[in-house]
């Protein structure tokens, strides 16, 4: 475990990044989250007209193909907030997978910004 973390730290130190998608995302509103999800799409479950959202779902942008599901309801912790302006979506705070690929990024204006 220590060797793996050291290896990742060393790669980050020299600027090596996994093959990570830089293609902008699009977002879609859904009544229920789908079983199969596509690359570079942020699925937002909830009531669009009321700006009342429950969950967000996306594939991890690092390329590991794991699903990332975010709670958007402020009555349970942790939770995130989706801000939508026109055709752009942003998520606050940052998204950090603490297992597997350990990706850490901001999602701002349909783009992934790596930390």
């Amino acid at each position: 475990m220590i060797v793996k973390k050291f290896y990742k730290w060393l790669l980050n130190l020299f600027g090596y990044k996994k093959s990570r998608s830089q293609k902008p995302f699009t977002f879609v509103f859904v009544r229920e989250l789908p079983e199969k999800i596509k690359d570079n799409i942020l699925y937002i479950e909830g009531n669009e007209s009321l700006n009342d959202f429950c969950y967000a779902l996306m594939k991890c942008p690092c390329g590991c193909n794991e699903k990332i599901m975010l709670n958007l309801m402020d009555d349970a912790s942790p939770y995130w907030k989706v801000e939508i302006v026109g055709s752009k979506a942003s998520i606050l705070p940052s998204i950090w997978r603490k297992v597997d690929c350990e990706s850490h990024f901001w999602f701002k204006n349909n783009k992934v910004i790596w930390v």
Side-chain angles (χ1 to χ4, degrees), residues 68-79:
I68 296 176
M69 188 161 91
L70 304 171
N71 173 34
L72 303 177
M73 299 176 285
D74 62 4
D75 60 348
S77 186
Y79 72 95

Side-chain angles (χ1 to χ4, degrees), residues 6-92:
F6 177 73
Y7 179 71
K8 285 184 180 184
W9 174 82
L10 196 58
L11 291 176
N12 285 334
L13 180 66
F14 290 102
Y16 173 80
K17 300 282 185 193
K18 288 190 243 179
S19 173
R20 294 181 170 177
S21 169
Q22 297 301 317
K23 180 182 173 190
F25 276 65
T26 57
F27 66 90
V28 294
F29 294 106
V30 294
R31 290 188 181 264
E32 288 185 27
L33 295 174
E35 288 287 323
K36 292 185 178 182
I37 62 174
K38 297 180 181 178
D39 293 338
N40 298 90
I41 295 182
L42 174 68
Y43 298 89
I44 303 171
E45 179 186 287
N47 190 330
E48 174 187 2
S49 60
L50 297 176
N51 248 6
D52 185 27
F53 309 123
C54 300
Y55 297 100
L57 178 68
M58 65 192 296
K59 276 189 184 178
C60 185
C62 83
C64 71
N65 285 323
E66 290 294 320
K67 291 180 181 179
I68 296 176
M69 188 161 91
L70 304 171
N71 173 34
L72 303 177
M73 299 176 285
D74 62 4
D75 60 348
S77 186
Y79 72 95
W80 287 259
K81 181 179 177 184
V82 171
E83 294 179 346
I84 298 172
V85 178
S87 62
K88 307 280 184 173
S90 298
I91 299 174
L92 299 166

